[in-house]
Amino acid sequence: MGFSGLAPELINGRAAMIGIVVALANEAKTGESIFAQSVSGGAAQALAVIAVVTLASFAPAFRAPLDAVFNKVAPKQLKEFGPFTAGAEMLNGRLAMAGLGLMLFFEGASPYAFFMN
């Protein structure tokens, strides 16, 4: 599979969607920046989330080919429900990755949590 292609972007997007929600919730609860959270045990939790998301993303591959698992089949064969589409998941994952990057940038330039100013 390698580092290019659809699967790594999906996995990173899924982990980023969980990560930004957890980071924002902890920031609102404790007032700590994302850097302070990572020092106080958040880095280990982030690695655990990435491992679980990666395993969960490959779990359907035991029952179906990888192409079907990572939405490379023809669009008419995909089962989509309302707003839960492959395109929406990809867009939300990209936005979450960008949000985490911006959060790291802005909190790195300031000694305070971004949303607690």
Side-chain angles (χ1 to χ4, degrees), residues 10-105:
L10 267 175
I11 293 168
N12 289 335
R14 289 172 180 170
M17 285 186 273
I18 294 170
I20 196 163
V21 168
V22 171
L24 290 173
N26 282 339
E27 189 170 301
K29 183 174 128 184
T30 64
E32 293 181 334
S33 71
I34 197 166
F35 292 107
Q37 292 177 36
S38 65
V39 170
S40 64
Q45 293 172 350
L47 290 175
V49 166
I50 290 169
V52 168
V53 168
T54 302
L55 288 173
S57 295
F58 282 106
F62 294 116
R63 302 188 76 192
L66 279 178
D67 288 345
V69 172
F70 291 107
N71 303 323
K72 292 183 180 178
V73 295
K76 64 180 177 180
Q77 295 175 344
L78 292 176
K79 295 178 183 175
E80 297 179 342
F81 174 72
F84 304 106
T85 64
E89 181 181 12
M90 188 69 72
L91 176 65
N92 291 336
R94 289 174 179 167
L95 291 173
M97 288 186 275
L100 275 174
L102 287 171
M103 195 171 169
L104 286 168
F105 175 76

